[in-house]
Amino acid sequence: MAETPTFDRMAPFYERLVDLWSFGCIPRAKQAQLRHIEPGASVLYAGVGPGSDALAAAERGARVTAVDLSSKMLEAAAERFRRAGEEATFVHGDILEYRPPAPFDVVVANFLIDCFPADARPALLTALVGCLRSGGIVLVADTGLPRGSAVGRGFWHVYQGIAYATTTLQGLTSWLPKLDLRRLVEDAGGRVIEHGLLRPWRHGPVLFEHLAAVV
Ligand SMILES: C[S@@+](CC[C@H](N)C(=O)[O-])C[C@H]1O[C@@H](n2cnc3c(N)ncnc32)[C@H](O)[C@@H]1O
């Protein structure tokens, strides 16, 4: 299993940092996903990180399994669940090697795809979809594509350029991924039922995207 010292170090502050840096776009994307998660549903959080989204799903009555390569991220998520009095199954490992005991109703991958190099992303999506039952739902949120006007696309390049310069230098992501989330999910066999574009303010540039698809 590959070591993840940088994600380990970021575990205590990762979510607060990205929630602020994203102007609240990332919490909004995670909030929007909850409408696809029914009470009682089995939900896999792939690359769970500190797990505020996974906890929100558990508080809605979902049965949560959380997988992460970083032991510190997983510990942060487990501590969050413990404090909230909620339960989940926590699995330390590589999502590509994870074999579910039974197919899940929902698989969630938030800001995980951009951790993978471009040529490995199709295999990741195939692995995620492979964890689902027929008719199950895959939910992803991530950096998407530069969209809209020239000004909006320019803003995207500067904003994401700053973010990915930092994460690429730390070895967390590849340089400035332009993620066609719809294409990635459809190529893995998903039928898109929701595609949200997240802007920091009304009529502002699109900075992030989230997507729900049925398989
Ligand atoms: C950018 S963070 C996102 C965390 C969380 N999903 C969120 O949106 O707040 C990516 C997470 O994926 C985990 N990760 C990266 N590669 C992984 C892999 N191959 N298998 C499992 N987890 C992985 C990292 O350790 C990290 O916790």
Side-chain angles (χ1 to χ4, degrees):
M1 198 187 302
E3 295 296 316
T4 56
T6 309
F7 273 128
D8 278 354
R9 276 198 302 277
M10 292 175 80
F13 59 87
Y14 169 79
E15 264 186 337
R16 272 194 304 269
L17 181 69
V18 298
D19 289 0
L20 276 173
W21 165 253
S22 74
F23 302 94
C25 288
I26 290 176
R28 275 193 277 134
K30 292 174 176 174
Q31 180 66 31
Q33 292 174 332
L34 291 175
R35 72 176 75 113
H36 299 285
I37 298 176
E38 301 290 337
S42 60
V43 185
L44 171 65
Y45 276 82
V48 68
S52 65
D53 46 1
L55 177 61
E59 287 173 339
R60 283 175 73 88
R63 292 173 290 125
V64 168
T65 299
V67 176
D68 206 291
L69 204 48
S70 156
S71 54
K72 295 288 184 216
M73 285 288 195
L74 213 53
E75 279 169 25
E79 173 62 14
R80 172 170 259 152
F81 271 69
R82 196 192 58 72
R83 273 189 272 115
E86 293 287 347
E87 291 190 350
T89 302
F90 295 96
V91 181
H92 181 215
D94 188 333
I95 192 63
L96 297 179
E97 289 164 17
Y98 176 67
R99 300 289 170 268
F104 286 93
D105 297 317
V106 181
V107 171
V108 187
N110 288 334
F111 299 88
L112 177 65
I113 300 174
D114 68 348
C115 296
F116 284 66
D119 60 355
R121 288 174 200 144
L124 170 63
L125 267 295
T126 301
L128 296 174
V129 166
C131 291
L132 281 169
R133 66 169 169 80
S134 171
I137 294 177
V138 60
L139 302 172
V140 296
D142 222 303
T143 303
L145 294 170
R147 295 180 185 276
S149 67
V151 173
R153 295 195 307 277
F155 189 97
W156 186 97
H157 278 92
V158 172
Y159 173 87
Q160 299 296 10
I162 294 167
Y164 282 103
T166 315
T167 55
T168 306
L169 282 172
Q170 295 183 87
L172 296 174
T173 65
S174 52
W175 166 242
L176 201 57
K178 292 180 181 168
L179 299 179
D180 188 340
L181 296 180
R182 179 178 283 267
R183 166 71 71 84
L184 281 166
V185 167
E186 285 179 348
D187 285 354
R191 180 173 55 82
V192 174
I193 55 172
E194 184 186 7
H195 188 177
L197 303 178
L198 292 149
R199 305 167 195 272
W201 52 85
R202 210 158 169 241
H203 306 306
V206 174
L207 296 183
F208 300 98
E209 303 183 20
H210 67 95
L211 191 142
V214 178
V215 301

